[in-house]
Structure formats: C-alpha cells, structure tokens
Amino acid sequence: MTPHGVDPETLTAEMAAQIRTWRCDEGYSWRAVAQAATDLWGSDWGGNQLFGEDLCLAAAKLLGENINREPWS
C-alpha cells in the first residue's frame, strides 16, 4: 500500500487506461483524476490531489510508461 491509498496491484489494465485517458487525453489535473476515479470506482480519498498523483503513477507503471515523459507530462 502506498501512502495515498493506491495499491498498484489492484488496478486493472482497463482502470489504468481510463486514468491515462483522463490525465493525458482529457487534461485532468491530479485532483480531477482523483475525483473522477472516486466517482467511478469509489474511494475514501475524493478529490485529494496526492491520491490523483498516486493513481497516475500506478497507472503509468502498469502501462509500462514513465509519468515524467510524454504523454503524461
């Protein structure tokens, strides 16, 4: 478990793809990614910015991408 509540092992490929779409294609902020994920899948974190960043990190890792490179940055 990471400090912000995202266990990368719990993300599916579909979830990672959705997170990538929100962040990379639709330009969501980390806070908006967190809120969208909470709305869709439920969590106790709501729109917490650190949770959104953690979601993006976990999704990028699962997809074999680097959050500090395109298309994430």
Side-chain angles (χ1 to χ4, degrees):
M1 180 81 75
T2 62
H4 306 114
V6 177
D7 180 352
E9 298 293 319
T10 65
L11 287 183
T12 66
E14 292 80 16
M15 293 168 86
Q18 180 60 65
I19 293 165
R20 185 183 191 279
T21 295
W22 287 327
R23 179 69 179 171
C24 301
D25 299 335
E26 298 179 15
Y28 281 31
S29 66
W30 286 334
R31 189 176 313 277
V33 167
Q35 190 61 60
T38 294
D39 293 345
L40 185 58
W41 302 308
S43 82
D44 294 332
W45 295 96
N48 180 289
Q49 179 174 337
L50 297 176
F51 177 57
E53 179 182 11
D54 211 30
L55 281 170
C56 290
L57 285 167
K61 182 178 178 180
L62 182 68
L63 296 169
E65 298 177 345
N66 183 332
I67 198 167
N68 295 313
R69 297 184 189 232
E70 291 296 330
W72 291 91
S73 61

